[in-house]
Amino acid sequence: MGSFASTLLPPEPAATSGRRGASGAAYAWLRREILAGRMRPGQALSENEVAARLGVSRTPVREAFIRLESEGLLLVRPQVGTTVAPIDVDAVADGQFLREAIECRTTRLAAGRVRPTDARELKALLRDQARAVARNDQAGFLSLDDRMHQHIVAMAGRPNVWRAVEEVKAQLDRVRVLSLEDPSWLAAILAQHEAIVTHVLAGDGVAAAAAMETHLRSVFGSIDAIASRDPGYFRGGAPASRSGAPLSRPQPPARRSS
Amino acid sequence: MGSFASTLLPPEPAATSGRRGASGAAYAWLRREILAGRMRPGQALSENEVAARLGVSRTPVREAFIRLESEGLLLVRPQVGTTVAPIDVDAVADGQFLREAIECRTTRLAAGRVRPTDARELKALLRDQARAVARNDQAGFLSLDDRMHQHIVAMAGRPNVWRAVEEVKAQLDRVRVLSLEDPSWLAAILAQHEAIVTHVLAGDGVAAAAAMETHLRSVFGSIDAIASRDPGYFRGGAPASRSGAPLSRPQPPARRSS
DNA sequence: GGGGAGGAACTTGTATACTAGTGTGGAAAT
DNA sequence: ATTTCCACACTAGTATACAAGTTCCTCCCC
């Protein structure tokens, strides 16, 4: 029953890496870089390059590549090269669908299992989120956002389901990091969070699930705007208008530089 | 729009393997063995052993291990050994929860998007399932079962979501293969399928989703019986009554045999 | 000047060698 | 006979070497 230590953990514990050692480190580093948007969709990578960058051999890097490919974050083309996966609008929609399916259900269940400690925790998270909005601390807000969603999943009695959400969320986060610049959105999201928590604490599962659905959809709604602004990062949405696309010619081969 | 070729594909195309070459072959083979129950929970494996069995080196086997571990089918303990993951009752429940969340939603949506070709396909699948029941062909029935569920997911407009279902389903299938011996269950499952299809074709999404939920739960209901019958295969459910447990002493080290 | 053949340098896939750590069995001491 | 301890064999993790394939650039021929 000690599962509520989750609120004490740092935002992203090493548990996400799953695997120990250099392999897990490479995985965690690459995943962070990609999800943070520092490695852009379409950017070419190579096992050798990353291995040199991290000071390890190809083997652990390769293992990280495999896991990231199976998560849809890398695109490995045998004998050709590996790139950061373009954002597939359809894959994002699938992620959105899955997250709705999962989290609407957990939210509905959570509303029927509110314990005093849960109420306190959710209120504390909302308070901290309000502070983050006031500070315009986007990174902090996102972390608190995740913790709230995770807590609701745990309340539903299925704490480990959060792992599935994390995998699905990855595709969505890649879009979100491209969009999240307008500070007014943070306030809007916070308002939606407050609505969710209100319904959950009131024990109204149906309303809580509906509020969660609205919430998740609003985040997804921005994808069209992003896709038309950065068409080069996407695949399947824009009809390959390669006019000023900044990708697809990875890098001037940089003959034996360093 | 050509996505309905799915009904023409063989039951399990190589697409499941995801990765080409020896690595993909090792992955596909191991996954099949585990899900078919031929490799039992707790059974010790080793990269060397499997590599020799498949006639390849450790490298591709290792890559297969990594993917299977991330799917929860293998348990890799560094410097100690790798075993087929014991069936974690909690993980199975999580899988059940996820599948309900996903498939109830797809079923509800599917009911609102029935095209003539879908109606024909679903009826044909039901007919074939009835024949499989008559023949007591369990493997054939399971394959048709998967195809029906997959088709409903595709009808909902999210065909690739089936990949997520497949991953989640793995944990459930391990239990199912231990249970599926009573032929009367096949008839019961078929009846549930007929109910689902009826509601879907009638366009009643709510009833269809409810029928799907009933259906999925009934499969899950057998887990307690299995867990008490084969306690050695499970973890977390039984309080470690190691009386006659057939696992956990992998193999007499077989000193330099062969 | 334009086009085609060839080669160099890159990519990932696979095989092998080496490292570090763990558990088990057996020998030795009590 | 029992207990302690040590050595060996086996494990997965990592590093390196080799193989097969693709792309692109250059040089040569027309």
Side-chain angles (χ1 to χ4, degrees), chain A residues 71-90:
Chain A
E71 288 187 53
L73 293 177
L74 287 186
L75 187 64
V76 180
R77 283 176 303 178
Q79 323 299 348
V80 175
T82 300
T83 61
V84 178
I87 298 177
D88 186 328
V89 180
D90 229 54

Side-chain angles (χ1 to χ4, degrees), chain B residues 5 14 26 48 73-74 77-78 88 107 113 116-117 140 150-151 158 168-169 188 192 197 221 236:
Chain B
N48 284 314
L73 293 177
L74 287 186
R77 282 175 303 178
D88 186 328
T107 303
R113 303 161 141 250
T117 181
Q150 180 177 7
H151 191 84
R158 305 246 65 90
V168 150
K169 212 166 63 70
Q192 293 166 358
V197 170

Side-chain angles (χ1 to χ4, degrees), chain B residues 15-202:
Chain B
T16 306
S17 95
R19 217 172 169 87
R20 289 69 50 182
S23 169
Y27 170 81
W29 181 74
L30 281 165
R31 192 174 201 272
R32 220 178 325 146
E33 291 294 307
I34 294 172
L35 260 55
R38 287 188 289 272
M39 286 183 175
R40 305 190 111 79
Q43 175 176 345
L45 294 175
S46 100
E47 297 174 355
N48 284 314
E49 181 187 343
V50 175
R53 169 74 178 76
L54 267 62
V56 295
S57 79
R58 271 183 61 202
T59 309
V61 172
R62 183 175 171 73
E63 297 180 357
F65 275 30
I66 289 171
R67 290 205 284 161
L68 291 166
E69 183 196 24
S70 77
E71 287 187 55
L73 293 177
L74 287 186
L75 187 64
V76 180
R77 282 175 303 178
Q79 321 302 346
V80 176
T82 300
T83 61
V84 178
I87 298 176
D88 186 328
V89 180
D90 228 54
V92 178
D94 286 336
Q96 172 68 18
F97 176 87
L98 288 169
R99 200 176 176 189
E100 271 181 42
I102 297 169
E103 292 211 56
C104 285
R105 195 161 267 243
T106 54
T107 303
R108 182 156 51 86
L109 287 178
R113 303 161 141 250
V114 184
R115 310 187 330 181
T117 181
D118 296 320
R120 250 178 294 144
E121 176 69 14
L122 290 177
K123 286 174 184 168
L125 284 169
L126 281 183
R127 175 174 43 78
D128 293 345
Q129 286 173 21
R131 287 179 186 165
V133 171
R135 269 185 276 119
N136 199 24
D137 176 7
Q138 300 186 352
F141 184 85
L142 286 190
S143 169
L144 292 165
D145 175 79
D146 275 355
R147 280 178 46 191
M148 199 190 92
H149 282 268
Q150 180 177 7
H151 191 84
I152 291 174
V153 170
M155 283 173 63
R158 305 246 65 90
N160 292 321
V161 162
W162 181 249
R163 297 184 70 87
V165 175
E166 267 185 322
E167 233 185 277
V168 150
K169 212 166 63 70
Q171 293 290 337
L172 303 174
D173 283 344
R174 298 182 71 200
V175 177
R176 184 157 68 166
V177 80
L178 287 178
S179 68
L180 202 41
E181 291 170 353
D182 187 345
S184 71
W185 284 358
L186 259 61
I189 293 174
L190 175 58
Q192 293 166 358
H193 281 179
E194 286 168 342
I196 294 168
V197 170
T198 299
H199 291 306
V200 166
L201 295 187

Side-chain angles (χ1 to χ4, degrees), chain A residues 40-223:
Chain A
R40 305 190 111 82
Q43 176 176 344
L45 293 175
S46 99
E47 298 173 355
N48 282 316
E49 182 186 344
V50 175
R53 168 75 177 75
L54 269 60
V56 296
S57 79
R58 271 183 60 204
T59 309
V61 172
R62 183 175 172 74
E63 298 179 357
F65 274 30
I66 290 171
R67 290 206 283 162
L68 291 166
E69 183 196 23
S70 76
E71 288 187 53
L73 293 177
L74 287 186
L75 187 64
V76 180
R77 283 176 303 178
Q79 323 299 348
V80 175
T82 300
T83 61
V84 178
I87 298 177
D88 186 328
V89 180
D90 229 54
V92 178
D94 286 337
Q96 172 69 17
F97 176 87
L98 287 168
R99 199 174 178 192
E100 271 182 42
I102 298 168
E103 291 210 56
C104 285
R105 196 162 266 244
T106 54
T107 303
R108 182 155 53 85
L109 287 178
R113 302 161 142 249
V114 184
R115 310 187 330 182
T117 180
D118 296 321
R120 252 178 293 144
E121 176 69 14
L122 290 178
K123 286 175 185 167
L125 284 168
L126 281 182
R127 175 173 44 76
D128 294 345
Q129 286 173 21
R131 287 178 185 165
V133 171
R135 270 185 276 121
N136 197 25
D137 176 7
Q138 300 185 354
F141 184 85
L142 285 190
S143 168
L144 291 165
D145 176 80
D146 274 354
R147 277 172 54 187
M148 199 189 92
H149 283 266
Q150 181 176 8
H151 190 84
I152 291 175
V153 170
M155 283 173 65
R158 307 247 65 90
N160 292 322
V161 162
W162 182 249
R163 297 184 70 88
V165 175
E166 268 185 320
E167 234 184 275
V168 150
K169 211 166 64 69
Q171 294 288 339
L172 303 174
D173 284 344
R174 297 182 72 199
V175 177
R176 183 157 70 165
V177 80
L178 286 178
S179 69
L180 202 41
E181 290 170 354
D182 188 344
S184 71
W185 283 359
L186 259 60
I189 293 174
L190 175 58
Q192 293 165 359
H193 281 179
E194 285 167 344
I196 294 168
V197 169
T198 299
H199 291 307
V200 166
L201 296 187
D204 187 345
V206 175
M212 175 63 81
E213 185 163 326
T214 303
H215 170 49
L216 294 173
R217 292 243 171 114
S218 85
V219 174
F220 181 64
S222 62
I223 188 175

